[in-house]
Each structure stands twice: as C-alpha cells, then as structure tokens.
Amino acid sequence: MPYDVPKGTRTEGTPQPGDVELVGEEFSKFLRSAHGYEEGWVGRKPLGSGIEAIAGMWEKRDDTGRVVDQVVIKQRGVNKYKPVWSPYKPFEVEVMEDLCARPNNGIVKMRGYRRYPESERHRIYMDYCEHGNLQRLISAYRAKS
C-alpha cells in the first residue's frame, strides 16, 4: 500500500453543531476528517494531544450499527510552536515496524502509516486498547485488590 493518501484527502474535517463545545476545535476537526486508510471509519473520541501530535479513536460499524473494530490514529506534524513537516517516514514509524515484526513482543500493534503531503501531516494507525495504557491498567487492578 502506498504511504501517500490520494490527493485532496484532508486531515481536518468540518465540525458538526456541538462538536467544538464538546471536544474543542482541534479535536472536532481531527475527528471529523477522513480516516485515510480504509473506508467506513468514524472518529469517536479524543485520546490526547501534545506539542507535535494528536490522537483519537475511530470506530467501524457493521450494517446493524454494532462496533466491529476500533483503531487509534496518531497524527504527527501538529506542532503549535514551529513547523515540523518532513516528507520522510518518521523514525517512530520505523521503530514500530521493527518492534511489531517481532513475535510476542507485548507492543501495541501498528496497523499502518499514511502520509498527507498536502496537509504536511503523518498518521500512524494502531490497535485501540480500551483500558488505556499499562500504568492505568495496573492502577485499576491495585485499586480493586
């Protein structure tokens, strides 16, 4: 699969009424954008943002409306202070490709990577872990013990 998305594919969508009040302008544009990897996905919730990236969860549903898959999209190149665009594959992607190629490594699986040259963004597609990160899961387990 080519890394570049088709021309005209945008990393920002048009927020619907109430989106901005619910999750803020940055996340509402991100979650309303095209998935960029496969058809049929819808942005559902923000997961976090930092200086150079933003992450959200997308869902895919079947004809009955049942959730059949979930994925995290991490979008790089959103630096609030300076431009960070590079046309090259991010080092983070190369490391994840190497780690995911190893058997039974306990690393969250990277499903793919796409580059958005027109928007100067990169997207990394990963499995969604519904219980959050490992630290959150350990804390929840200890709280129940």
Side-chain angles (χ1 to χ4, degrees), residues 3-6 9 85 87 114-122:
Y3 289 131
D4 287 353
V5 296
T9 305
W85 169 249
R114 298 301 291 268
R115 186 173 69 165
Y116 292 71
E118 290 178 40
S119 301
E120 298 186 345
R121 303 282 190 265
H122 298 271

Side-chain angles (χ1 to χ4, degrees), residues 64-83:
T64 66
R66 185 178 61 90
V67 175
V68 294
D69 201 1
Q70 295 174 316
V71 67
V72 170
I73 298 178
K74 179 178 181 181
Q75 181 169 282
R76 296 178 41 97
V78 192
N79 192 310
K80 298 168 177 73
Y81 305 109
K82 63 179 176 136

